[in-house]
Amino acid sequence: MTRRKASPLSLVLLGLGAFLLVLAPLLAWYVEPRAKRTPTDIDQITVFRGTGSYFDTQKIKTVKKQRLTITRQVRGDVADSEKSGRAVWDVSTSIDPDKSLPAADPHDSLQWTLERWVTDRKTNKPVHCCGEKPYFEGEVYLKFPFDVEKRTYLWWDPTLGDTVPLAYRGKKKIQGYEGLRFTGTVKAAKTGTRQVPGRMVGLPKRSQVMAEEWYANHGVELVADQRTGRIIYAAIGPRKTLRAPGGKKDVTVLLDSKRIGFTEKTQKSQVKLADDDSSRLKLVGETLPLVSVVLGGALALLGGALVVRGRESGSNGARRDGEGPDSNGPHSETSPNSLQPTTM
């Protein structure tokens, strides 16, 4: 019995379908989780702006209703990141009134800090290595972890030197893009001491005193992209003051603002980055696996059907043994049993 072989097309369709069905879980369970890694080659500037009071060292007094700008630049140390397997970011933050902008030297700013943040690229948890400065804890710093949950997170406040709980407050749209909103406050706390003239803390008879530095925050608001953890909006309300040693009241205001938040330009930039990153992760983790399952299943079914149909067709078209005229049968001219002409 002869059997017809499956057509090349049916085998190609069947193989392609099987490949896509295998690819779907591979994308969702292997590729996407490994794509969720904090970047190391970051170089980004975010700008906060608001109004408030600050201590003018030239006028030797606190001036009010001034525009204040916070500029933060984050640069990834790619070499140290690759070496350690962590996300190593160097962070420069300056606070300026209008008169010190643009600052040719960050030391000319009202306040300037340089920090090094080191985190686990997958979990966003702090890693204490690679010249980290300052030591920090918590869950949220310059970003949230991937796949942000609707719960309270511990945000590290570098000025306070401690974590602050930020409670989930629902969803909020920033420049038309929806994120998860978290808020919290910081009660006044002593953060250090500083040597100043006695009159700055109500002690005019003393030339110099070790005044107490106190810090509070009227309100912290962070809005994060749920998939990537990128912060698309941030606002803070810092208050820094001086008190006399052992004093109970603020005497001199060094910095005070009810609210300093992302500028519109920074919001748009952060939203674009979040949207791009989130779209790529969704493509790898959801869209492509779904398309692979649907298309792979359809191709596998079509290819399988063509294989079965081809074999059935080949089977029905084949002759069975003993059926049909026999070329060597008795009625054939070449049959050995047929009558042959003779001579008489």
Side-chain angles (χ1 to χ4, degrees), residues 95-110:
I95 303 177
D96 294 274
D98 283 348
K99 70 177 186 178
S100 65
L101 287 175
D105 187 326
H107 293 89
D108 296 334
S109 299
L110 177 65

Side-chain angles (χ1 to χ4, degrees), residues 44-291:
Q44 180 182 337
I45 294 177
T46 54
V47 180
F48 299 68
R49 188 160 289 141
T51 58
S53 306
Y54 74 93
F55 187 81
D56 190 321
T57 54
Q58 295 179 347
K59 297 180 179 180
I60 317 179
K61 68 175 184 178
T62 299
V63 292
K64 300 179 179 179
K65 297 181 180 180
Q66 302 294 309
R67 190 168 74 160
L68 298 171
T69 300
I70 300 176
T71 306
R72 174 175 290 156
Q73 182 170 21
V74 181
R75 285 181 175 174
D77 189 324
V78 178
D80 278 3
S81 295
E82 291 181 350
K83 189 182 207 178
S84 65
R86 315 296 185 181
V88 183
W89 290 359
D90 292 318
V91 185
S92 172
T93 306
S94 61
I95 303 177
D96 294 274
D98 283 348
K99 70 177 186 178
S100 65
L101 287 175
D105 187 326
H107 293 89
D108 296 334
S109 299
L110 177 65
Q111 180 180 313
W112 177 71
T113 59
L114 182 61
E115 302 166 323
R116 170 165 281 214
W117 298 72
V118 185
T119 59
D120 183 281
R121 296 187 63 196
K122 180 180 179 181
T123 66
N124 201 51
K125 292 182 179 180
V127 179
H128 309 298
C129 74
C130 316
E132 166 208 31
K133 180 184 179 182
Y135 178 93
F136 67 103
E137 293 292 353
E139 302 171 283
V140 179
Y141 324 101
L142 301 173
K143 70 180 293 293
F144 279 75
F146 289 94
D147 299 319
V148 183
E149 300 175 11
K150 299 175 181 179
R151 63 173 176 85
T152 297
Y153 280 86
L154 292 179
W155 172 67
W156 177 260
D157 186 330
T159 305
L160 178 65
D162 202 353
T163 56
V164 177
L166 297 183
Y168 173 65
R169 301 297 185 187
K171 297 180 179 180
K172 183 176 181 177
K173 286 190 175 182
I174 304 297
Q175 301 296 324
Y177 188 86
E178 189 174 79
L180 303 185
R181 177 173 176 260
F182 299 83
T183 65
T185 58
V186 180
K187 294 182 179 179
K190 180 181 175 181
T191 56
T193 58
R194 177 189 299 191
Q195 188 175 36
V196 300
R199 62 192 180 92
M200 285 188 64
V201 289
L203 301 172
K205 294 183 179 180
R206 298 174 61 177
S207 60
Q208 298 288 322
V209 297
M210 292 301 294
E212 296 179 358
E213 292 184 331
W214 283 70
Y215 164 77
N217 204 304
H218 299 291
V220 179
E221 179 184 9
L222 301 179
V223 181
D225 173 53
Q226 186 169 14
R227 191 183 301 273
T228 66
R230 183 182 290 275
I231 295 175
I232 59 176
Y233 181 77
I236 56 175
R239 177 177 171 84
K240 297 182 70 175
T241 60
L242 293 178
R243 296 183 185 183
K248 301 298 182 182
K249 296 182 179 180
D250 297 331
V251 180
T252 297
V253 174
L254 300 177
L255 176 68
D256 189 21
S257 176
K258 294 289 186 181
R259 189 177 185 84
I260 303 177
F262 275 179
T263 62
E264 184 175 354
K265 181 179 179 181
T266 295
Q267 292 175 39
K268 290 180 178 179
S269 174
Q270 291 297 100
V271 164
K272 184 179 185 307
L273 290 170
D275 191 19
D276 290 346
D277 291 345
S278 182
S279 296
R280 280 193 286 268
L281 288 177
K282 183 178 181 180
L283 178 67
V284 173
E286 294 181 15
T287 307
L288 288 180
L290 179 60
V291 170

